[in-house]
């Protein structure tokens, strides 16, 4: 596989392009069509979880035909850099109330599910009219909590991925593809 889509400065760090940009785009078309069908006649509030979800948010919102509002939250989970510990803290809360709104939480990836579980419980207590989750990626083999993710882009194996918003130590978010890094890229 050619790595031409990867900026030269990062090319040597990449082991594999797992999901190329064109497949992401096609899948987002399908997810948006599904959301349009499900929310016909309603207005949707997309809540993006910073920072990883920014590209999914932008690309999904632009594909939707139903009216869309957007808000953002930022959470941090304590623990090492590549796994979630389950202790979640809200670093940035929503700008506005969500009561009686049709909310879709937009995530980059659901891994253990601990972050999302916390968010769902937190947002549900604010009485939205409805609450669903859309995640570009999910790693079912790592799930510790059973969570209904209504709209899923791709199921990925238990590998650490970066690109299209996902980072390792704040790097690689800007890649257009979702890639697997070589072990050397982690400094290991
Ligand atoms: P969870 O609480 O274990 O589901 O973790 C969710 C968060 O961990 C995601 O929103 C990402 O920020 C981060 N994360 C989990 N897996 C990956 C990965 O493979 N690459 C980059 N970040 C990841």
């Amino acid at each position: 596989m050619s790595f031409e889509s990867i900026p030269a400065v990062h090319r040597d760090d990449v082991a594999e392009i797992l999901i190329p940009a064109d497949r992401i785009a096609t899948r987002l078309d399908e997810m948006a069509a599904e959301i349009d069908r499900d929310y016909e006649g309603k207005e949707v509030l997309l809540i993006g979880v910073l920072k990883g979800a920014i590209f999914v948010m932008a690309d999904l919102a632009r594909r939707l035909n139903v009216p869309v509002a957007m808000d953002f939250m930022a959470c941090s989970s304590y623990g090492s850099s590549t796994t979630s510990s389950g202790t979640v803290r809200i670093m940035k809360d929503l700008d506005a109330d969500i009561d009686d709104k049709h909310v879709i939480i937009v995530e980059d990836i659901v891994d253990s599910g601990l972050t999302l579980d916390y968010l769902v419980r937190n947002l549900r207590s604010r009485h939205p009219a409805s609450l669903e989750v859309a995640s570009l990626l999910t790693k079912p083999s790592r799930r510790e909590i059973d969570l209904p993710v209504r709209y899923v882009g791709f199921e990925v194996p238990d590998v650490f991925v970066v690109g299209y918003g996902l980072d390792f130590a704040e790097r690689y978010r800007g890649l257009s593809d979702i890639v697997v890094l070589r072990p050397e890229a982690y400094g290991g």
Side-chain angles (χ1 to χ4, degrees):
M1 186 181 275
S2 137
F3 288 174
E4 269 166 34
S5 58
I6 312 287
V9 68
H10 290 317
R11 217 166 280 162
D12 288 346
D13 299 342
V14 173
E16 183 195 351
I17 296 181
L18 195 64
I19 310 172
D22 60 342
R23 279 187 65 208
I24 299 174
T26 305
R27 188 69 192 112
L28 287 174
D29 285 343
E30 294 166 355
M31 290 169 77
E34 213 181 322
I35 293 171
D36 272 339
R37 271 198 307 276
D38 292 350
Y39 290 85
E40 199 186 341
K42 297 176 180 142
E43 184 170 331
V44 173
L45 172 63
L46 298 179
I47 295 184
V49 185
L50 295 171
K51 307 172 201 168
I54 52 169
F55 294 105
V56 198
M57 261 311 251
D59 287 343
L60 193 59
R62 281 181 289 187
R63 283 168 165 80
L64 290 171
N65 292 313
V66 289
V68 166
M70 294 191 234
D71 207 340
F72 292 91
M73 281 181 92
C75 304
S76 79
S77 63
Y78 296 172
S80 72
S81 57
T82 59
T83 52
S84 177
S85 68
T87 311
V88 180
R89 194 159 60 132
I90 293 180
M91 310 299 285
K92 181 220 170 291
D93 206 343
L94 299 173
D95 289 341
D97 290 344
I98 60 167
D99 57 310
D100 294 329
K101 307 253 192 238
H102 293 286
V103 171
I104 302 178
I105 301 174
V106 179
E107 269 279 21
D108 49 357
I109 188 165
V110 184
D111 186 26
S112 69
L114 294 169
T115 310
L116 188 58
D117 180 62
Y118 172 85
L119 268 183
V120 166
R121 280 186 288 119
N122 183 292
L123 294 183
R124 201 165 272 149
S125 71
R126 306 184 198 190
H127 309 294
S130 64
L131 181 63
E132 299 289 352
V133 178
S135 182
L136 183 66
L137 305 178
T138 172
K139 280 186 195 169
S141 62
R142 303 228 339 141
R143 197 63 41 80
E144 289 177 31
I145 290 181
D146 195 23
L147 276 171
V149 181
R150 176 77 175 262
Y151 307 100
V152 173
F154 301 91
E155 290 191 353
V156 294
D158 182 11
V159 287
F160 195 77
V161 291
V162 298
Y164 198 74
L166 291 152
D167 74 309
F168 172 69
E170 292 301 325
R171 302 181 83 188
Y172 311 109
R173 285 194 202 276
L175 303 186
S176 306
D177 313 293
I178 289 173
V179 310
V180 180
L181 294 176
R182 291 157 57 130
E184 302 81 47
Y186 299 107

